[in-house]
Structure formats: C-alpha cells, structure tokens
Amino acid sequence: MDPTGILDLRKGILFYIIGPLLFFLSLLPLIGGRSLQEAYISLGLLTLFIIMIFLAIILSLLGLMYTWKGFSKIQDRFNKAIIGKIGTILVLFGGVGSILLGIAYFFLGKALNNNKVKLGGILFIFPIASVVGAILIFQGLTQVARQVRLIQ
C-alpha cells in the first residue's frame, strides 16, 4: 500500500471537515431569524459571506480531489479502494456517495487494523454522525501515518 495514499486520504478527510464547517459558520447571522441577505447587508458582511461560501466550495472540492488521489494510490494493495473512488464521484450527487465512502473507510480501517478508521467509516454513513465519523477517520489515519513514520 502506497503510504502517500494514506496522507492524501488524511488531507481529503481534513478538507471534508473544514469545508462544511466554514459553510455553516457563514450562516451564523441567520440565527437572529432574518433572511440571509438582510442579515449580511445589515452587518455589512455580504462580501465576507460570498468569500466564505467560495472558500467552502474550494476546500470541499480539494477534499474530493485528495480522497480520489489517496484511494487511487492504495488501490494496488487495497482492492476495496474502488468503492471509495466511486463514492468520491457520487458524493457530488447526493447521499449514496457518502455511504460508499463510509464503507470504503470501514474496510480500510479493517485492512490497516485501526479501530478509529473503522468506527469513523461506520459513522460517516449517517448524515448526522458524519462529522464525528470524519474526525475519527482523520485521527485514525494520523495514527497510521505516525506508525509508518510519515508524520511526527
């Protein structure tokens, strides 16, 4: 298994965490009950909102790119990587992609003998728990990267 593939998957899941988080942070002014446009215009932050949404989209796309790249690099030694690659494409079109990615991460955790990646893969399947799953996957991949001395 190409160890740099693990690093790419780690980067991909990190962008998966940061991108949506940035998007939800950009929606905070809606808590007051006003419309999005009114909230940002009254605060004079409409440009900031547009920049935050743009960055969230870019980070999410980078996450998908790194995830694809990571699964591609490990597919010679991990035959279930194809599930992750298909999931990476389908995540652009809805929930089926997240289910396939969760399954791929579960099997990756099994292959790497890492319970955090396995549990994260299971949680990744469920929309409400997917953020917790992504964090566990990131932690598990970090453990694996440290074990093979890819990071300190």
Side-chain angles (χ1 to χ4, degrees), residues 71 79-88 97 99-105 107:
F71 279 121
N79 61 357
K80 303 234 188 303
I82 190 68
I83 298 170
K85 289 173 72 174
I86 293 169
T88 302
I99 293 169
L100 291 176
L101 278 172
I103 292 168
Y105 280 119
F107 283 118

Side-chain angles (χ1 to χ4, degrees), residues 1 8 22 27 34 37 54 59 76 88-89 99 105 111-112 115 125 136 147:
M1 192 175 303
D8 286 336
L22 186 60
L27 299 177
R34 295 181 272 173
Q37 186 178 8
F54 181 73
L59 290 174
D76 62 328
T88 302
I89 293 169
I99 293 169
Y105 280 119
L112 296 171
N115 289 330
I125 291 171
L136 286 172
Q147 287 171 351

Side-chain angles (χ1 to χ4, degrees), residues 32-137:
R34 295 181 272 173
S35 75
L36 185 64
Q37 186 178 8
E38 289 173 356
Y40 276 100
I41 289 174
S42 68
L43 296 172
L45 300 173
L46 190 58
T47 304
L48 178 63
F49 168 74
I50 293 168
I51 291 169
M52 288 176 72
I53 294 294
F54 181 73
L55 284 174
I57 292 168
I58 296 297
L59 290 174
S60 296
L61 290 174
L62 278 171
L64 292 175
M65 184 183 75
Y66 275 111
T67 301
W68 175 272
K69 196 165 128 181
F71 279 121
S72 295
K73 287 181 179 179
I74 64 171
Q75 72 184 4
D76 62 328
R77 303 282 301 228
F78 177 62
N79 61 357
K80 303 234 188 303
I82 190 68
I83 298 170
K85 289 173 72 174
I86 293 169
T88 302
I89 293 169
L90 292 180
V91 82
L92 293 168
F93 304 107
V96 175
S98 294
I99 293 169
L100 291 176
L101 278 172
I103 292 168
Y105 280 119
F106 171 80
F107 283 118
L108 180 62
K110 198 171 176 182
L112 296 171
N113 197 25
N114 188 289
N115 289 330
K116 284 187 178 180
V117 177
K118 281 197 306 192
L119 179 59
I122 292 168
L123 293 175
F124 198 81
I125 291 171
F126 303 101
I128 294 173
S130 67
V131 173
V132 174
I135 291 168
L136 286 172
I137 292 166

Side-chain angles (χ1 to χ4, degrees), residues 6-44:
I6 299 298
L7 289 179
D8 286 336
L9 288 171
R10 186 174 167 268
K11 286 178 196 172
I13 203 73
L14 181 62
F15 284 127
Y16 177 85
I17 295 166
I18 295 172
L21 180 64
L22 186 60
F23 175 76
F24 288 116
L25 286 175
S26 71
L27 299 177
L28 280 180
L30 291 179
I31 292 174
R34 295 181 272 173
S35 75
L36 185 64
Q37 186 178 8
E38 289 173 356
Y40 276 100
I41 289 174
S42 68
L43 296 172

